[in-house]
Amino acid sequence: MHWQPAQSAERFARRPHVIAWTCECWPIVYEKLMTGGSYLIRRTDQNDRVSAVPLESSPTSRKEADVLWRRLMSGTAV
């Protein structure tokens, strides 16, 4: 799995819409985002709350984002 620094605000004209997420009580929080017909996954490591920097996957189709989301949730994403 390749993650890059979050750049949603710069990449998209509109703010991304969160369509799925994991509990903020977990050390690592995942969000599935949609904007302008593109989908991506955001990952935030909350172990160090002072410097928790979100990372994102590359924008993709809904189908590919759904597959990636299922793999992340099942622990099979590499």
Side-chain angles (χ1 to χ4, degrees), residues 1-66:
M1 183 70 219
H2 175 72
W3 299 102
Q4 55 199 16
Q7 300 176 11
S8 311
E10 295 84 29
R11 237 189 306 189
F12 302 109
R14 297 186 330 179
R15 184 174 175 197
H17 177 70
V18 179
I19 55 176
W21 61 92
T22 60
C23 181
E24 290 187 16
C25 61
W26 292 3
I28 297 177
V29 176
Y30 292 98
E31 299 169 292
K32 183 166 55 168
L33 308 171
M34 188 252 334
T35 186
S38 293
Y39 294 78
L40 56 113
I41 309 294
R42 180 179 292 157
R43 177 189 191 275
T44 304
D45 186 340
Q46 301 187 116
N47 286 316
D48 182 3
R49 292 192 183 268
V50 174
S51 63
V53 177
L55 301 173
E56 294 176 348
S57 67
S58 297
T60 188
S61 68
R62 180 178 181 174
K63 182 178 178 179
E64 290 177 10
D66 288 346

